[in-house]
Amino acid sequence: MFSFLKKGLKKTVEKIEAAAPKKREKIDRDELEDLLLEADVSYDIVEKIIESLPQTVNRLQLYNTLISVFMYATPKIEPHGEKPFVELIVGVNGAGKTTTIAKLALRYKKEGQSVLLGAADTFRAAAIEQLKRWAEKIDVPIVYTKQGHDPSAVAYDAISSAKAKGIDRVIIDTAGRLHTQANLAEELKKIVRVCGKAMEGAPHRKILILDGTQGNSAINQAKAFKEMIDIDGIIITKLDGTAKGGALFSIAEELKLPIYYVGVGEKAEDLIPFDPKEFVNTILDAIFIEESEKTVPSSGKTHNVDLHALTSAQRQRLEQMLHEDGYDLLSKHFVKEQKSGETYRLVVNDNSDTIEIHGPTGDILKAYRAEDLDTNG
């Protein structure tokens, strides 16, 4: 899977490597800022990333900061016994919606599940014909009607047919554009309501398809669809055709929605589950050399702790100490006070070699020494 993702990010990696051809063990914060902007990470996100890092940054420090962008509370929605499990696919025309539906259907078939397609983009005759051709090619049933007919009726019939036939999954295509955005919003809302009438709880998952070649400009599209029908997750297409792979950080940070899959090519197997760890590491491989051994503690230190990149054991130790003091660790940068529910920042103080809890006015509520986190000490 890693090779597939590396293939999909090839142009993004090449752009980073062109800007900084020499890999290194550490990178200056100012140069890092330029590289992230080159990869189409939005300026606001870059500023947020940079401010949490020291002046000279190693791979572990940057990894922990970048991976935290994908650590948000919105859970992925997966099937839990619904039959059929109904997915509504939305997105603007040209984003790769129909092709992605076919790739999803083929993936589910290979997993041993039965699939039915619903061609509810009745605004365009070409959309119906394209989905019909895909259904024939991958050998799955499809419910469709003529151009201009009620798309909600197609959604209803698709779900009803799947229920009658005991099919596991229903994937419903929708229009990406009508005469106005208001018209599109009303149509999508109606389809959602009618799905619920055909089967309680449906659609179980509403997925937005975003064109990866659009980079950060796709975020406004996503916000518009989210306002219309409160989407549950995202699939990024055409990632292999762009050097704007860094936009995924912005998309994740802005929308706080799970990214289920990324498209990294034309073949069916080129729709792969999105793994944030592999994504971040692929970006970092373009910047850093592999570190053969752990960082040696600086002269005069009596511990083996990098406060910017705690090990799993050191993080557990910090969580334990925080809990004893009445705090819960939320992320690398935030804690919550158990008694009041208030959220406070966690700040690394390199001068005192401590991790501090800062109050609203910047006052230090608690401080934890690096020595106390050294699990080897």
Side-chain angles (χ1 to χ4, degrees), residues 47-231:
E47 289 298 291
K48 195 174 292 187
I49 290 169
I50 293 298
E51 75 173 6
S52 67
L53 294 167
Q55 187 59 43
T56 304
V57 186
N58 66 32
R59 180 176 180 131
L60 276 174
Q61 290 166 342
L62 185 54
Y63 173 85
N64 285 338
T65 299
L66 293 181
I67 200 68
S68 69
V69 174
F70 298 98
M71 298 172 67
Y72 34 78
T74 310
K76 281 188 174 182
I77 297 173
E78 301 292 354
H80 291 291
E82 303 92 345
K83 191 164 184 175
F85 182 81
V86 180
E87 290 183 274
L88 195 66
I89 309 298
V90 303
V92 300
N93 295 340
K97 187 156 47 74
T98 308
T99 305
T100 300
I101 288 170
K103 289 179 179 180
L104 277 176
L106 194 56
R107 169 176 282 276
Y108 298 153
K109 274 192 70 176
K110 288 181 177 179
E111 293 171 354
Q113 300 178 76
S114 53
V115 187
L116 181 144
L117 304 182
D121 183 359
T122 60
F123 184 68
R124 293 186 307 132
I128 299 170
E129 291 305 315
Q130 186 183 6
L131 198 62
K132 282 172 63 180
R133 287 195 299 272
W134 270 115
E136 292 170 7
K137 187 174 181 179
I138 61 178
D139 191 25
V140 298
I142 180 171
V143 172
Y144 63 93
T145 186
K146 293 180 181 179
Q147 180 185 5
H149 283 205
D150 184 3
S152 299
V154 176
Y156 188 95
D157 290 346
I159 297 171
S160 299
S161 177
K163 286 169 66 178
K165 296 175 182 176
I167 286 175
D168 298 312
R169 286 184 178 260
V170 173
I171 308 175
I172 299 173
D173 190 15
T174 62
R177 180 181 63 83
L178 292 180
H179 295 299
T180 69
Q181 185 167 304
N183 285 345
L184 177 60
E186 287 308 310
E187 177 178 290
L188 293 177
K189 288 174 183 176
K190 182 180 177 183
I191 292 174
V192 170
R193 290 195 303 270
V194 171
C195 285
K197 292 178 180 177
M199 179 182 181
E200 187 175 353
H204 304 104
R205 189 161 74 184
K206 301 182 289 293
I207 297 289
L208 172 66
I209 309 298
L210 289 180
D211 182 344
T213 63
Q214 294 194 0
N216 283 301
S217 63
I219 293 174
N220 288 332
Q221 284 179 21
K223 287 180 176 177
F225 277 99
K226 192 176 181 183
E227 286 178 12
M228 291 178 197
I229 57 167
D230 194 23
I231 56 177

Side-chain angles (χ1 to χ4, degrees), residues 278-341:
E278 291 182 0
F279 173 72
V280 170
N281 275 318
T282 302
I283 299 293
L284 296 184
D285 284 344
I287 301 172
F288 295 99
I289 61 174
E290 294 293 331
E291 296 181 9
S292 57
E293 37 186 68
K294 292 183 179 180
T295 305
V296 178
S298 302
S299 176
K301 288 189 177 180
T302 59
H303 59 80
N304 193 29
V305 177
D306 180 352
L307 292 177
H308 294 279
L310 298 179
T311 66
S312 177
Q314 291 162 0
R315 180 186 170 94
Q316 287 179 6
R317 174 64 180 145
L318 176 61
E319 284 189 77
Q320 178 187 346
M321 294 170 71
L322 285 165
H323 190 75
E324 290 170 355
D325 288 332
Y327 298 92
D328 290 324
L329 185 64
L330 297 179
S331 69
K332 181 182 177 183
H333 303 295
F334 294 98
V335 296
K336 181 172 74 173
E337 188 176 32
Q338 296 165 1
K339 188 175 181 180
S340 66

Side-chain angles (χ1 to χ4, degrees), residues 211-275:
D211 182 344
T213 63
Q214 294 194 0
N216 283 301
S217 63
I219 293 174
N220 288 332
Q221 284 179 21
K223 287 180 176 177
F225 277 99
K226 192 176 181 183
E227 286 178 12
M228 291 178 197
I229 57 167
D230 194 23
I231 56 177
D232 302 307
I234 299 166
I235 294 175
I236 312 287
T237 62
K238 309 178 188 178
L239 199 58
D240 57 313
T242 181
K244 299 178 178 180
L248 268 68
F249 291 108
S250 308
I251 290 169
E253 175 70 17
E254 289 281 344
L255 301 175
K256 305 292 187 193
L257 288 170
I259 301 173
Y260 283 89
Y261 297 96
V262 289
V264 297
E266 292 298 321
K267 298 177 182 177
E269 61 267 25
D270 289 339
L271 183 71
I272 62 172
F274 177 67
D275 185 329

